Amino acid sequence: MDLSRRGFLQAAVFTAAASGLTVACGGGSDSGGTKNGKNLTMWYWGGALSDKVVAEAKTHFKSQIKLTSSSIGGDFKQKLTTTLAAGGSSVPDITGIKGEDIASFLPNADRFLDLNDLGFKKLSSQYLEWKTKLAQTEDGKQIGFPIDIGPTALFYRADQFEKAGLPSDPAKVAAEAKTWDDYFALGTELKKALPGTFLINNMGSVFSIAVGQGTKRFIDQDNHFIGDQDHIRAAWDHAIRAYTLGIDAKINDQSWNAAIGKSLTTEVGAAWHALDIESAAPNTKGKWRVCATPGGPANQGGSYLTLPKQCRNPEEAFKIISWILSPENNAKSFADATIFPASPETYAMPAMTGPDAFFGGQKIIEVFGPAAEAIPVSYEAPADSAVMAPFMAELTSIEAKGKKPDDAWKDAVSQAKQIARRQGVN
């Protein structure tokens, strides 16, 4: 897993601010060459699905369908939107859509089949309701079948907590870091005891998770901009608090690898972030632990499979995606590629309940499972990511250029309002 997955949110909001749904870029795929629906194509990106489960699906359905899968590199959304706009045989029969992009596709839901017409309603109870609803139009059309989610937690170095004279047991750390202020107080103690260490990687990570802990974001269901209201300001103030206390490492994706095994004592991130930490700092095996996110759970990431309206055999295509994303195969996907399932039934399966050696033998599903089921339901407007982008950019300006936080807030709100107006938000 590369850092592009860990840093998905920041990249997504900047991309969304700069581009719309109809960008010009080549996409293209082998459509299978026939029109009888016996050959189906599927697009996804590296890490979106378990390659092993996809291979098993090809074998499982080979007597009925020839499934050709393509792992699409580069800007997946851009290539998909261009291909959908062009239409014709180049459109894949099955395609992934990233979780941070799904809201922007909902205004164009007519480009996709309603999965409820194919049997999703009968299966929907197996998947988290909040995740399912994010791929649903206001009139109930379901365009996305949940692949995975990204429930958050606090990752921390138990050895450094012990060295600083702080609690290191997950339950005790969770109690000590119940709120953001509690968490920052721990960071201040850590910095005093272990000079040169930091609590967070950058302010953007705090801001994005704090926003996700609430039931409101930047635009309400009546299409009004609410990015200047108290709930966003509170998330902003949490991020600024870490900065003013001097516990913000001010690092980006390029410098994160070097910091994670040395100066960063904690990380707040999604379940899939565990593999990022393990890949970047293998020598710290056994020293990390996981506990509940300060301030409550949030979600980062997680994607969907969809069927474009050009799908040549919707019934068989739906059988394929429901098989790939069944609770049983979700367990295989987690074991193979650490893809955290949107099906709670999977959380009790052996693939997810065993001890994790990298985290000192801790059963981390005992943290991530309850978090997944407690994530608050919030409305995410099609323009949400684009409107969020200025806030992330201004937080970076504070860290990189020393911009005054109050000035940065005013500029973020002003720019966000301009973007909202251009995207038809009141």
Side-chain angles (χ1 to χ4, degrees), residues 64-388:
Q64 301 111 314
I65 291 291
K66 179 183 177 182
L67 176 63
T68 302
S69 60
S70 298
S71 182
I72 307 298
D75 190 330
F76 188 91
K77 179 186 177 184
Q78 187 178 57
K79 293 179 180 179
L80 177 60
T81 53
T82 301
T83 304
L84 291 174
S89 61
S90 62
V91 177
D93 299 291
I94 303 168
T95 183
I97 292 180
K98 296 182 180 181
E100 63 267 29
D101 296 330
I102 193 70
S104 67
F105 281 94
L106 290 176
N108 295 275
D110 59 346
R111 291 181 175 173
F112 302 91
L113 298 177
D114 185 351
L115 301 182
N116 285 330
D117 294 338
L118 297 166
F120 183 76
K121 276 187 177 180
K122 295 180 181 178
L123 303 176
S124 62
S125 62
Q126 298 178 27
Y127 301 88
L128 291 163
E129 184 180 10
W130 65 263
K131 178 66 176 179
T132 297
K133 283 187 174 181
L134 289 175
Q136 193 177 96
T137 62
E138 290 187 15
D139 60 359
K141 181 175 182 179
Q142 188 72 36
I143 70 167
F145 198 125
I147 296 176
D148 65 327
I149 58 173
T152 62
L154 172 61
F155 301 89
Y156 67 95
R157 284 281 298 273
D159 61 324
Q160 291 188 336
F161 273 50
E162 290 174 0
K163 190 175 180 180
L166 296 171
S168 61
D169 175 75
K172 292 181 179 178
V173 174
E176 290 285 329
K178 193 170 185 179
T179 69
W180 285 105
D181 285 342
D182 292 339
Y183 175 47
F184 297 152
L186 277 181
T188 301
E189 291 186 53
L190 278 164
K191 193 169 181 64
K192 287 179 181 177
L194 305 173
T197 62
F198 297 92
L199 194 72
I200 66 165
N201 55 21
N202 57 53
M203 287 193 287
S205 64
V206 173
F207 179 71
S208 62
I209 290 175
V211 169
Q213 291 172 326
T215 57
K216 297 186 291 183
R217 294 182 62 84
F218 298 88
I219 301 164
D220 67 17
Q221 288 183 281
D222 294 321
N223 201 36
H224 292 123
F225 174 79
I226 55 173
D228 55 352
Q229 293 185 6
D230 289 347
H231 64 291
I232 299 298
R233 183 62 199 235
W236 175 275
D237 287 344
H238 288 320
I240 298 300
R241 177 76 172 151
Y243 173 79
T244 56
L245 288 172
I247 52 178
D248 170 17
K250 307 176 189 176
I251 61 176
N252 54 33
D253 282 354
Q254 286 69 45
S255 54
W256 181 84
N257 272 30
I260 191 61
K262 298 177 182 177
S263 59
L264 279 174
T265 53
T266 74
E267 281 275 273
V268 180
W272 43 257
H273 192 36
L275 190 55
D276 292 332
I277 297 172
E278 185 173 353
S279 299
N283 293 335
T284 60
K285 179 178 179 179
K287 297 177 180 179
W288 290 87
R289 300 291 186 275
V290 181
C291 71
T293 310
N299 181 71
Q300 284 196 317
S303 305
Y304 300 87
L305 284 178
T306 66
L307 305 183
K309 67 178 181 181
Q310 293 90 343
C311 179
R312 290 165 294 174
N313 192 331
E315 290 76 18
E316 290 299 323
F318 183 77
K319 288 179 184 177
I320 290 171
I321 65 174
S322 58
W323 188 88
I324 289 174
L325 301 175
S326 67
E328 294 78 14
N329 281 325
N330 279 343
K332 293 181 182 179
S333 295
F334 180 81
D336 175 43
T338 322
I339 297 171
F340 197 94
S343 49
E345 180 184 341
T346 311
Y347 306 161
M349 294 180 182
M352 299 196 71
T353 56
D356 191 313
F358 188 81
F359 292 95
Q362 184 182 356
K363 296 180 179 180
I364 62 176
I365 188 60
E366 294 176 358
V367 176
F368 288 113
E373 299 189 61
I375 290 168
V377 177
S378 61
Y379 171 69
E380 187 168 339
D384 188 89
S385 291
V387 171
M388 184 179 185

